[in-house]
Amino acid sequence: MKKWCIGISLLLLTVACDKNEVGDISLGVFTTQDIKLNTLVDPIVTGVTCHVASIEADLSLSDPSDSSIACRQTGEITAPMIAAIDKSKSGEVVFKKSKSIFFKTMKIRRVFDEQSQTLMYVSYSTKETSGSFKHSLSTVPLWGTKAYQSPMKPSV
């Protein structure tokens, strides 16, 4: 039992020492839940930085599913970067974080809208909570970047 408690304590310390964490807001003295603010740089489109706010409960086996995301252009976005991303309708996962020992994960997926030349970033939970899958959306237009390509206009 002692080894189990030590293992859980080490796991909680590892989770608390997230290198991407830039803010920690307490929800009050009588709660163990905090709002954690994380910064994430897209691994392929490195000119995009996303900030994610999510609730974490230090003494719970499962964190709430709610999250919020805001992504902005913070550097150069080039055509080779856009050429390297998955352009399927479902896009690709650029970040994931466990939110529970019961297989709940928060994921951030990048989807490219070629028609509007916009990168969309969706933060979502992989487990239904209160009858709904929680999600949040942020967009980064390519307009004004080196990666922008004028969309093809449909012929009439």
Side-chain angles (χ1 to χ4, degrees), residues 116-137:
S116 69
Q117 291 288 291
T118 301
L119 295 168
M120 300 182 292
Y121 292 85
V122 180
S123 171
Y124 62 97
S125 170
T126 59
K127 200 141 184 161
E128 186 175 344
T129 305
S130 302
S132 144
F133 287 91
K134 306 294 184 175
H135 62 280
S136 181
L137 172 71

Side-chain angles (χ1 to χ4, degrees), residues 1-51:
M1 182 69 167
K2 185 177 179 181
K3 288 181 181 180
W4 188 75
C5 289
I6 291 172
I8 294 290
S9 297
L10 289 173
L11 178 65
L12 289 174
L13 283 174
T14 303
V15 170
C17 297
D18 186 353
K19 65 180 179 175
N20 297 325
E21 187 178 303
V22 293
D24 185 353
I25 301 166
S26 173
L27 292 175
V29 176
F30 300 109
T31 181
T32 61
Q33 296 183 348
D34 296 332
I35 299 173
K36 301 289 186 174
L37 304 173
N38 290 283
T39 185
L40 307 162
V41 175
D42 186 314
I44 296 175
V45 187
T46 56
V48 174
T49 302
C50 296
H51 292 93

Side-chain angles (χ1 to χ4, degrees), residues 52-70:
V52 180
S54 62
I55 295 178
E56 291 187 10
D58 291 335
L59 300 176
S60 175
L61 297 177
S62 178
D63 289 334
S65 298
D66 294 326
S67 69
S68 176
I69 187 169

